[in-house]
Short mmCIF file of all heavy atoms in Angstrom, two decimals:
data_model
loop_
_atom_site.label_atom_id
_atom_site.label_comp_id
_atom_site.label_asym_id
_atom_site.label_seq_id
_atom_site.Cartn_x
_atom_site.Cartn_y
_atom_site.Cartn_z
N SER A 31 158.33 80.63 192.40
CA SER A 31 159.02 81.05 191.17
C SER A 31 158.93 80.05 190.07
O SER A 31 158.89 80.41 188.90
CB SER A 31 160.42 81.41 191.44
OG SER A 31 161.29 80.31 191.80
N LYS A 32 158.86 78.76 190.42
CA LYS A 32 158.73 77.72 189.39
C LYS A 32 157.29 77.43 188.95
O LYS A 32 157.06 77.06 187.84
CB LYS A 32 159.37 76.43 189.88
CG LYS A 32 160.85 76.51 190.11
CD LYS A 32 161.38 75.20 190.72
CE LYS A 32 162.85 75.40 190.99
NZ LYS A 32 163.36 74.20 191.69
N ALA A 33 156.36 77.69 189.86
CA ALA A 33 154.95 77.37 189.58
C ALA A 33 154.23 78.66 189.11
O ALA A 33 153.66 79.43 189.89
CB ALA A 33 154.25 76.84 190.83
N ARG A 34 154.28 78.87 187.84
CA ARG A 34 153.65 80.09 187.29
C ARG A 34 152.13 80.16 187.38
O ARG A 34 151.54 81.16 187.16
CB ARG A 34 154.12 80.27 185.84
CG ARG A 34 155.61 80.43 185.73
CD ARG A 34 156.04 80.83 184.37
NE ARG A 34 157.44 81.18 184.36
CZ ARG A 34 158.32 80.51 183.81
NH1 ARG A 34 158.01 79.41 183.15
NH2 ARG A 34 159.59 80.83 183.84
N TYR A 35 151.53 79.04 187.69
CA TYR A 35 150.09 78.94 187.78
C TYR A 35 149.64 79.11 189.25
O TYR A 35 148.54 78.81 189.60
CB TYR A 35 149.57 77.63 187.20
CG TYR A 35 150.39 76.39 187.73
CD1 TYR A 35 150.09 75.81 188.95
CD2 TYR A 35 151.48 75.93 187.07
CE1 TYR A 35 150.80 74.73 189.42
CE2 TYR A 35 152.21 74.91 187.50
CZ TYR A 35 151.87 74.28 188.68
OH TYR A 35 152.59 73.26 189.14
N ALA A 36 150.49 79.64 190.09
CA ALA A 36 150.17 79.81 191.52
C ALA A 36 150.06 81.30 191.83
O ALA A 36 150.62 82.14 191.17
CB ALA A 36 151.21 79.17 192.39
N ARG A 37 149.34 81.55 192.93
CA ARG A 37 149.25 82.93 193.39
C ARG A 37 149.63 82.99 194.90
O ARG A 37 149.35 82.01 195.63
CB ARG A 37 147.89 83.55 193.12
CG ARG A 37 146.75 82.97 193.91
CD ARG A 37 145.40 83.65 193.62
NE ARG A 37 144.41 83.18 194.45
CZ ARG A 37 144.06 83.64 195.61
NH1 ARG A 37 144.75 84.70 196.13
NH2 ARG A 37 143.12 83.15 196.34
N PHE A 38 150.16 84.13 195.27
CA PHE A 38 150.54 84.30 196.72
C PHE A 38 149.30 84.51 197.57
O PHE A 38 148.32 85.07 197.14
CB PHE A 38 151.43 85.54 196.79
CG PHE A 38 151.85 85.88 198.20
CD1 PHE A 38 152.86 85.20 198.81
CD2 PHE A 38 151.13 86.86 198.87
CE1 PHE A 38 153.24 85.53 200.12
CE2 PHE A 38 151.49 87.18 200.22
CZ PHE A 38 152.52 86.48 200.82
N MET A 39 149.36 83.94 198.78
CA MET A 39 148.26 84.09 199.77
C MET A 39 148.80 84.20 201.13
O MET A 39 149.96 83.83 201.41
CB MET A 39 147.26 83.00 199.59
CG MET A 39 147.84 81.61 199.99
SD MET A 39 146.71 80.25 199.74
CE MET A 39 145.59 80.51 201.11
N ARG A 40 147.97 84.68 202.02
CA ARG A 40 148.35 84.71 203.43
C ARG A 40 147.35 83.67 204.15
O ARG A 40 146.18 83.65 203.87
CB ARG A 40 148.06 86.09 204.09
CG ARG A 40 148.93 87.19 203.47
CD ARG A 40 150.36 87.12 203.78
NE ARG A 40 150.58 87.60 205.10
CZ ARG A 40 151.69 87.46 205.81
NH1 ARG A 40 152.65 86.83 205.23
NH2 ARG A 40 151.80 87.90 206.98
N VAL A 41 147.93 82.88 205.08
CA VAL A 41 147.21 81.86 205.71
C VAL A 41 147.31 82.07 207.25
O VAL A 41 148.37 82.43 207.70
CB VAL A 41 147.76 80.45 205.45
CG1 VAL A 41 147.05 79.42 206.14
CG2 VAL A 41 147.76 80.19 203.95
N LYS A 42 146.15 81.96 207.96
CA LYS A 42 146.14 82.20 209.34
C LYS A 42 146.20 80.87 210.12
O LYS A 42 145.37 79.98 209.89
CB LYS A 42 144.84 82.95 209.76
CG LYS A 42 144.92 83.42 211.20
CD LYS A 42 143.72 84.26 211.45
CE LYS A 42 143.73 84.87 212.84
NZ LYS A 42 142.59 85.75 213.15
N TRP A 43 147.31 80.69 210.86
CA TRP A 43 147.46 79.53 211.69
C TRP A 43 147.64 79.96 213.13
O TRP A 43 148.48 80.80 213.44
CB TRP A 43 148.76 78.70 211.31
CG TRP A 43 148.80 78.15 209.98
CD1 TRP A 43 149.59 78.53 208.95
CD2 TRP A 43 148.12 76.97 209.49
NE1 TRP A 43 149.39 77.70 207.90
CE2 TRP A 43 148.45 76.75 208.19
CE3 TRP A 43 147.17 76.11 210.15
CZ2 TRP A 43 147.98 75.68 207.47
CZ3 TRP A 43 146.68 75.05 209.38
CH2 TRP A 43 147.11 74.88 208.07
N GLU A 44 146.83 79.47 214.02
CA GLU A 44 146.97 79.80 215.45
C GLU A 44 147.08 81.30 215.75
O GLU A 44 147.92 81.67 216.52
CB GLU A 44 148.16 79.05 216.04
CG GLU A 44 148.08 77.51 215.88
CD GLU A 44 149.32 76.76 216.23
OE1 GLU A 44 150.28 77.41 216.64
OE2 GLU A 44 149.31 75.64 216.07
N GLY A 45 146.27 82.16 215.09
CA GLY A 45 146.26 83.56 215.32
C GLY A 45 147.34 84.37 214.62
O GLY A 45 147.38 85.59 214.75
N GLN A 46 148.24 83.70 213.90
CA GLN A 46 149.34 84.37 213.22
C GLN A 46 149.13 84.19 211.74
O GLN A 46 148.66 83.17 211.26
CB GLN A 46 150.73 83.78 213.65
CG GLN A 46 150.98 83.90 215.08
CD GLN A 46 151.51 85.31 215.50
OE1 GLN A 46 151.71 86.16 214.60
NE2 GLN A 46 151.68 85.54 216.75
#
Side-chain angles (χ1 to χ4, degrees):
S31 67
K32 291 176 186 174
R34 294 192 174 108
Y35 47 87
R37 69 178 185 89
F38 177 80
M39 64 183 288
R40 300 289 282 167
V41 179
K42 190 172 186 179
W43 295 109
E44 301 171 2
Q46 300 281 354

